[in-house]
Amino acid sequence: MTYRLQGKICIVTGGGQGIGAAVADCFAREGASVVIAELDEAMGAAKACELAAQGVPSLFVHTDVAQAESVRVMVAAALVRFGRIDVLVNNAGINVFRDPLKTTADDWKLCMSVDLDGMWHCCQAALPAMLEGGGGSIINMASTQSFSIIPGCFPYPVAKHGVIGLTRALALEYAARGVRVNAIAPGYIETRRNIEYWNRFADPAAARQATCDALPPKRIGRPDEVGMTAVFLASDEAPFINASTIVIDGGRSIAYHD
């Protein structure tokens, strides 16, 4: 049986939970070795142990993407264990939603340090190994808020707009040297964060249904649907896809009105 990522060494930041964990699972099923770079030690270690129990070569490295040195240590550990890096999925992120005029310097720094700077730290650390190895694929997790703004979510969409700029700039810089850089922009996906959001309402089931009703397919997206899109971009099936963003939202972001 041929696996789509057979032999590839893949780093997934925020890989211990949510979409990141789904990406790690999808990569593992397609034959990849997986490095789980995760801030939450318990979740990260648990995911790496789960993969290892399935016979998947895996490694957990406690990583704070907001700290460049932490990222460098993670990449160094991946290289010691596996010898090269073929794929980097910049998935780690944080929701920071504030009233613009009440946004503090710390609020702004927290959002940008994780959602934008963190991706740059990882790209900067992993790119030399990819270039030395003759190429690779970087996949940045953007958002539908990279294009369309939901009021009340400032400054999160500012960072996510920046992710698209980072993706495009790096994609053109390194395309001739074999590195492709693309983004995925999920909409509503059934992650723990969204479930917690619905649970804040007096009737969580009704809140969830309202979200479903607002989406063209009348359902919420699944984390594995994002994961399999990442598999495609990471694989040798997408050699001429570069500086692109794949939107996964069931078509919601193009709707003019409800």
Side-chain angles (χ1 to χ4, degrees):
M1 183 175 180
T2 302
Y3 294 97
R4 299 164 73 189
L5 301 181
Q6 188 67 49
K8 292 188 183 292
I9 311 302
C10 305
I11 295 173
V12 183
T13 70
Q17 55 189 306
I19 289 174
V23 170
D25 288 337
C26 292
F27 279 13
R29 287 197 297 270
E30 292 297 335
S33 298
V34 182
V35 178
I36 303 294
E38 171 66 59
L39 182 62
D40 187 307
E41 293 193 55
M43 287 185 173
K47 174 52 66 175
C49 287
E50 177 187 327
L51 296 177
Q54 299 168 13
V56 178
S58 57
L59 172 68
F60 162 63
V61 185
H62 178 249
T63 309
D64 181 355
V65 298
Q67 303 298 321
E69 181 58 27
S70 179
V71 171
R72 285 192 288 268
V73 168
M74 178 271 291
V75 168
L79 290 171
V80 167
R81 173 68 181 276
F82 295 112
R84 70 177 194 279
I85 297 169
D86 300 302
V87 179
L88 166 65
V89 179
N90 279 316
N91 168 78
I94 188 171
N95 290 341
V96 179
F97 302 154
R98 303 286 188 272
D99 179 301
L101 294 183
K102 294 179 181 178
T103 300
T104 67
D106 286 342
D107 293 334
W108 179 272
K109 182 177 180 181
L110 175 62
C111 183
M112 299 303 157
S113 68
V114 177
D115 291 337
L116 184 55
D117 294 349
M119 292 199 182
W120 166 234
H121 293 157
C122 293
C123 290
Q124 189 177 39
L127 268 166
M130 288 186 174
L131 295 171
E132 183 177 347
S137 174
I138 295 175
I139 303 164
N140 295 326
M141 205 60 66
S143 166
T144 50
Q145 289 213 59
S146 296
F147 318 102
S148 303
I149 306 298
I150 300 175
C153 294
F154 185 89
Y156 177 80
V158 181
K160 288 301 183 179
H161 273 65
V163 169
I164 300 301
L166 177 69
T167 298
R168 291 172 172 172
L170 293 180
L172 297 190
E173 288 287 342
Y174 297 105
R177 300 177 67 181
V179 176
R180 296 179 294 111
V181 188
N182 293 291
I184 295 174
Y188 275 105
I189 305 297
E190 194 157 7
T191 61
R192 178 174 57 85
R193 286 179 182 173
N194 279 331
I195 292 171
E196 289 174 351
Y197 167 73
W198 294 317
N199 285 342
R200 295 173 191 166
F201 290 84
D203 187 342
R208 186 184 187 283
Q209 187 59 51
T211 301
C212 291
D213 292 343
L215 302 175
K218 304 306 177 185
R219 70 172 179 86
I220 309 298
R222 302 191 311 270
D224 67 286
E225 292 173 318
V226 182
M228 290 310 296
T229 303
V231 166
F232 170 64
L233 289 174
S235 75
D236 296 334
E237 299 167 10
F240 209 55
I241 298 179
N242 189 43
S244 295
T245 301
I246 298 179
V247 178
I248 305 178
D249 71 345
R252 168 63 187 173
S253 59
I254 67 166
Y256 186 74
H257 59 75
D258 294 326

